[in-house]
Amino acid sequence: MTRPQPRTPSRLARRPMAVGPVETRHPVQAPGEDAVDLHVRRWQDWDDLGLDPDVEAVITRIQHIAWHVKQGYLEGERSVGLEPHDYDTLHALHIRETPGYATTGQLAETAGVSPATMTGRVDRLVRMGLVRRIPSEDDRRVVHVQVTDEGFDKWRRAMALRGETEDRIFAGIPKDRLRRLSDLLREVLLAAEAIDGSASI
């Protein structure tokens, strides 16, 4: 997975290339700083951008934290023999009112992909022995996807490894500060969802 690159603030207008030696401003990451502190310092002198350093820092940190979380998820999933889309499909199969049992169409809707895409995913999981297709007892034209014991085991193991990734990342944050962080992010997410009037999940 590609590591996130430093953001270029969206307000940035293209400037002429400098001629001659260029001074590198604020190149050093000080003790106790993360990469985002350095990134913000590089941009904050551009007065014409109207850049809010706090907003820039929050957005960039969210992006970098998400990258580290996804990287940990990916390593955990692959260590049990799953690709991300395999895990997503098995997860969609288990977060239903009928855990481990659904039609391909229902899985597609839950996972937010097309029926054709989900058919390909299920085909792969059938070949891996993680799910099976079984005709509906009520309507033989309807085929359900059912998780196998091996599929359930791999999903649970991947879930546990994803949890370990989260625990490692947040281990040093006291619970009260973690709850405060969650509350603040809720405010941000509600503001973002209000822009287009829809939830993001």
Side-chain angles (χ1 to χ4, degrees), residues 48-180:
D48 57 319
L49 294 181
L51 180 69
D52 185 325
D54 293 321
V55 172
E56 181 68 17
V58 168
I59 291 175
T60 308
R61 284 195 173 97
I62 288 173
Q63 292 175 336
H64 281 248
I65 292 169
W67 181 87
H68 285 287
V69 171
K70 288 182 179 179
Q71 188 72 6
Y73 286 175
L74 178 63
E75 291 174 1
E77 290 157 5
R78 287 183 171 170
S79 72
V80 300
L82 299 176
E83 289 298 320
H85 53 80
D86 298 325
Y87 174 85
D88 290 345
T89 303
L90 289 172
H91 193 67
L93 190 56
H94 282 92
I95 58 173
R96 300 182 47 75
E97 293 180 359
T98 55
Y101 189 80
T103 66
T104 299
Q106 290 169 335
L107 286 178
E109 182 178 0
T110 301
V113 300
S114 70
T117 296
M118 183 54 68
T119 295
R121 290 186 179 187
V122 171
D123 287 343
R124 171 179 161 84
L125 293 176
V126 168
R127 291 193 298 270
M128 295 170 67
L130 305 184
V131 301
R132 63 174 67 90
R133 286 187 171 98
I134 56 175
S136 169
E137 295 180 357
D138 300 324
D139 186 343
R140 304 294 289 185
R141 295 169 299 178
V142 176
V143 177
H144 284 90
V145 179
Q146 185 178 51
V147 69
T148 63
D149 290 343
E150 183 179 0
F152 178 76
D153 178 65
K154 283 185 179 288
W155 173 70
R156 287 297 299 269
R157 288 164 58 197
M159 278 276 286
L161 292 170
R162 286 164 69 99
E164 290 177 10
T165 291
E166 296 162 4
D167 290 343
R168 286 195 300 270
I169 290 174
F170 292 101
I173 311 298
K175 281 295 183 182
D176 60 331
R177 297 181 66 185
L178 192 58
R179 281 191 292 269
R180 179 57 179 157

